[in-house]
Amino acid sequence: EAGVTQSPTHLIKTRGQQATLRCSPISGHTSVYWYQQALGLGLQFLLWYDEGEERNRGNFPPRFSGRQFPNYSSELNVNALELEDSALYLCASNSRRFHGYTFGSGTRLTVV
Amino acid sequence: TQLLEQSPQFLSIQEGENLTVYCNSSSVFSSLQWYRQEPGEGPVLLVTVVTGGEVKKLKRLTFQFGDARKDSSLHITAAQPGDTGLYLCAGGSNYKLTFGKGTLLTVNP
């Protein structure tokens, strides 16, 4: 069974640009979660999608947005990039019957 | 806001030693999970505990969920260099996980 896949693995952008990160959940998992892991701050909850709908979002500005497609894959968009957005962005999926998440390996976003 | 505090933040020990890391909160969670993360990778689920007072063992790792479901501990017996990594606890509530900042464990050969 394929795990959670994220692309790209690394992304370098200039301040003010836009970044698009992609995530494919485990087959059969309808929920996708996005987390930001910045140095020293731990995993910060960004967004939760389930069945194509945004169910919850964390304390991040509106320039962090995303969507979930009919095949349950998901996209995270970050507009007007700032230096502080440099972090590892992790995607996770789970099924309704299980409490645990399966994480992807993440996208390392560097803003210069 | 639900917060999880982990201690210690850093731990460096010799191979063969025992250790315990702690995860504490003022909030009650429906479940408590422990993950291990290696550099450049996403966290990997080790265990989920859901019942207050529950104890689970996974080889040399013992996980305990507090009676009030607000705290948890992870005990590793006879640590090995392969146990090196960032250990994260996460509290579950309404399908959302809140993570602690983690304990960075280094086991020296």
Side-chain angles (χ1 to χ4, degrees):
Chain A
E1 176 185 76
V4 176
T5 58
Q6 291 187 246
S7 64
T9 53
H10 294 84
L11 191 57
I12 299 175
K13 291 285 187 177
T14 303
R15 190 170 49 184
Q17 285 188 316
Q18 179 196 34
T20 298
L21 288 63
R22 296 179 176 83
C23 172
S24 292
I26 287 176
S27 177
H29 286 189
T30 62
S31 280
V32 170
Y33 305 81
W34 287 96
Y35 282 82
Q36 181 195 67
Q37 188 176 29
L39 202 61
L41 294 179
L43 274 79
Q44 303 292 314
F45 169 70
L46 271 165
L47 290 159
W48 168 31
Y49 292 96
D50 182 62
E51 299 282 359
E53 300 285 333
E54 181 181 304
R55 301 296 183 181
N56 204 351
R57 71 177 288 132
N59 295 324
F60 281 84
R63 58 191 185 82
F64 287 83
S65 65
R67 53 180 171 167
Q68 187 178 33
F69 299 99
N71 66 353
Y72 303 119
S73 66
S74 178
E75 198 173 83
L76 174 69
N77 295 293
V78 188
N79 295 320
L81 284 165
E82 300 178 2
L83 298 178
E84 306 78 64
D85 297 333
S86 295
L88 180 66
Y89 289 82
L90 291 162
C91 169
S93 72
N94 74 342
S95 66
R96 289 182 176 275
R97 297 186 302 276
F98 181 58
H99 294 284
Y101 289 5
T102 302
F103 281 88
S105 296
T107 293
R108 172 71 62 185
L109 173 64
T110 303
V111 183
V112 297
Chain B
T1 304
Q2 297 177 315
L3 292 175
L4 280 165
E5 294 192 7
Q6 290 189 241
S7 61
Q9 189 176 356
F10 300 96
L11 188 55
S12 180
I13 61 172
Q14 294 300 122
E15 182 177 2
E17 292 183 358
N18 301 332
L19 67 112
T20 302
V21 298
Y22 300 93
C23 175
N24 296 291
S25 174
S26 58
S27 302
V28 175
F29 293 99
S30 58
S31 68
L32 200 295
Q33 300 167 27
W34 285 90
Y35 292 79
R36 179 167 156 262
Q37 184 178 21
E38 297 189 30
E41 297 294 328
V44 175
L45 179 67
L46 296 174
V47 76
T48 299
V49 285
V50 297
T51 304
E54 183 176 2
V55 177
K56 280 193 175 179
K57 292 190 176 184
L58 184 66
K59 297 183 180 178
R60 293 176 295 101
L61 279 61
T62 302
F63 305 86
Q64 185 163 8
F65 200 11
D67 290 341
R69 291 188 290 133
K70 294 182 179 180
D71 55 88
S72 181
S73 63
L74 158 61
H75 182 78
I76 301 179
T77 304
Q80 300 175 0
D83 295 328
T84 292
L86 179 67
Y87 288 81
L88 296 158
C89 69
S93 179
N94 295 324
Y95 295 101
K96 174 186 165 184
L97 281 186
T98 300
F99 282 83
K101 291 188 177 181
T103 293
L104 185 60
L105 172 65
T106 303
V107 182
N108 303 297

